[in-house]
Amino acid sequence: MSCEHKHETSEKEGSEKKETKTLAKPLELKFIKGAHIRYFLCTLKMMPEDFEGFDTKRMMIAYLCLSGLDVLNALDKLPMRVQKETIEWIYAAQKTPGTSEKKEDKTHYGFRGGSSWGGAFDVKNRKGREGIPKDEAHIAMTYSALCALKILGDDLSRVDKKAIIGSLKLLQRENGCFRCATTEEDDMRFMYCACAISDMLGDWSGVNKEKATQYIIDAQAFDGGIGLRVGAEGHGGTTYCAIASLVLMGNLNSLKDLPGLIRWCVYAQGAGFVGRPNKPADSCYSFWIGATMKMLGVYDLTNKKENQTFNLRCQTKYGGFGKYPDVYPDPLHSYFGICGLSMMGLDSSLAPIDPLWGLTLRAAGKEPKK
């Protein structure tokens, strides 16, 4: 199998029909588990050429691939030596105060997206990384790193929890939302990351829950969905981020229009789930909206048969999932497409998912006691 398949999807504006590059004749609609395992293993080793722009997000891609293998119950296909090396690679990307800590430190600590900054990549001696301009963590990469460590069975003992929690205070704005870094954008994605990080580390002192909850309440749109920011259109991904954040904070009942949200989720179903009204179905929303409905306790309102059929049509002969049928796969749609199938109960060999953390119940430490 070649690792260098390209992602070629072009979209025309307005109502013009999407043009996609066809890969092959439609596959028989069965779950090709072995091909998906090979896809994740391959992507962990080498990303396709078109993913060069994602070099600063290697941590996220590692999380998606590792968790994909975990959902497929195939983490053992990754040699133990490689698993241990991956843990060391993750810790090497940790930005810690080190010897430069000050009383009024305004640096964002946590995990970087990878080795893009070019500093010394040594988990035991990070002095070579100090003093690099604009070198700071990214909240989404910190979330991804913690997820990856938990998947690999690490106990998080080397995570600088104090520095990370302190950084969350720095990243929360007066309006209650969170930035991804000290001088960057803020939106619902990073709200979720802050809440998930706090829950994983068992320390909520870095989050002002009252302000965060109010921001989410204010971001609910007239049709029930929740937008990227206050005043934005409701969107499947940001609705998930908002609802998961409220559940993690214990404030789900604070939402002003819960029935409207449920209605919005139900109406997001066609052949598969759509992210916004009047958009084509997309495999990743089988998780984003499906997991939202799981958290709301209304997953029985989904059309499992239609959603399963759509996701299976998004598989490729290489393994992995595209966002639509007959397009090349990518790690995000591959992972969340499989998570969606797991929630649908397609195959008993797929591990059950924790909708709150985006991990298997095993990795999250939430498996039911036998």
Side-chain angles (χ1 to χ4, degrees), residues 186-225:
D186 62 276
D187 61 51
M188 205 64 74
R189 297 170 298 173
F190 311 128
M191 171 79 78
Y192 167 73
C193 289
C195 292
I197 289 167
S198 299
D199 201 50
M200 288 182 192
L201 297 182
D203 187 344
W204 283 86
S205 63
V207 176
N208 184 321
K209 289 186 179 181
E210 183 178 353
K211 287 185 176 181
T213 299
Q214 189 59 51
Y215 184 86
I216 296 172
I217 292 171
D218 293 342
Q220 187 172 22
F222 72 95
D223 60 359

Side-chain angles (χ1 to χ4, degrees), residues 167-180:
S167 290
L168 294 182
K169 296 179 182 179
L170 184 67
L171 298 177
Q172 189 170 24
R173 298 187 61 201
E174 277 299 312
N175 64 8
C177 199
F178 284 81
R179 298 182 178 93
C180 60

Side-chain angles (χ1 to χ4, degrees), residues 45-315:
K45 294 178 182 178
M46 180 174 60
M47 293 189 294
E49 179 184 348
D50 283 1
F51 280 73
E52 183 179 359
F54 287 85
D55 189 61
T56 58
K57 301 178 180 67
R58 284 179 179 268
M59 192 68 71
M60 179 188 69
I61 293 173
Y63 148 59
L64 295 172
C65 292
L66 289 168
S67 204
L69 290 171
D70 198 23
V71 177
L72 292 164
N73 282 304
L75 201 58
D76 60 343
K77 301 294 184 182
L78 198 64
M80 188 56 64
R81 173 186 58 80
V82 176
Q83 292 189 38
K84 291 179 179 179
E85 289 174 352
T86 302
I87 290 173
E88 296 307 308
W89 175 80
I90 293 169
Y91 274 115
Q94 186 174 198
K95 170 75 174 178
T96 60
T99 58
S100 61
E101 186 174 15
K102 301 175 182 178
K103 287 185 178 180
E104 296 184 3
D105 196 352
K106 298 295 184 181
T107 304
H108 171 203
Y109 298 111
F111 287 83
R112 307 171 181 86
S115 55
S116 303
W117 291 108
F121 213 66
D122 182 350
V123 72
K124 296 180 180 179
N125 178 14
R126 299 192 189 91
K127 290 184 179 179
R129 279 183 172 268
E130 293 181 3
I132 299 174
K134 298 184 179 180
D135 177 26
E136 64 174 300
H138 188 291
I139 195 171
M141 299 306 118
T142 298
Y143 162 75
S144 297
L146 294 177
C147 286
L149 288 171
K150 293 187 78 68
I151 293 164
L152 293 170
D154 186 75
D155 61 5
L156 308 186
S157 61
R158 289 185 281 169
V159 172
D160 193 332
K161 300 175 184 178
K162 179 181 177 182
I164 291 174
I165 296 301
S167 290
L168 294 182
K169 296 179 182 179
L170 184 67
L171 298 177
Q172 189 170 24
R173 298 187 61 201
E174 277 299 312
N175 64 8
C177 199
F178 284 81
R179 298 182 178 93
C180 60
T182 52
T183 59
E184 300 296 331
E185 60 188 334
D186 62 276
D187 61 51
M188 205 64 74
R189 297 170 298 173
F190 311 128
M191 171 79 78
Y192 167 73
C193 289
C195 292
I197 289 167
S198 299
D199 201 50
M200 288 182 192
L201 297 182
D203 187 344
W204 283 86
S205 63
V207 176
N208 184 321
K209 289 186 179 181
E210 183 178 353
K211 287 185 176 181
T213 299
Q214 189 59 51
Y215 184 86
I216 296 172
I217 292 171
D218 293 342
Q220 187 172 22
F222 72 95
D223 60 359
I226 301 175
L228 189 67
R229 300 182 180 89
V230 175
E233 177 186 13
H235 184 280
T238 53
T239 295
Y240 166 82
C241 290
I243 296 307
S245 297
L246 287 177
V247 173
L248 288 168
M249 291 188 287
N251 290 333
L252 179 60
N253 292 331
S254 299
L255 203 65
K256 61 187 176 185
D257 187 7
L258 197 55
L261 170 63
I262 294 172
R263 182 180 62 248
W264 186 88
C265 290
V266 171
Y267 285 174
Q269 295 179 93
F273 283 102
V274 301
R276 290 177 287 163
N278 299 315
K279 292 290 184 178
D282 181 328
S283 59
C284 71
Y285 294 108
S286 63
F287 174 79
W288 300 124
I289 297 180
T292 298
M293 296 178 75
K294 279 273 189 182
M295 291 184 284
L296 295 174
V298 294
Y299 194 74
D300 59 321
L301 298 179
T302 62
N303 187 332
K304 292 184 182 180
K305 183 177 179 180
E306 289 291 330
N307 291 323
Q308 285 178 356
T309 298
F310 176 79
N311 272 25
L312 289 176
R313 289 179 58 222
C314 293
Q315 295 178 113

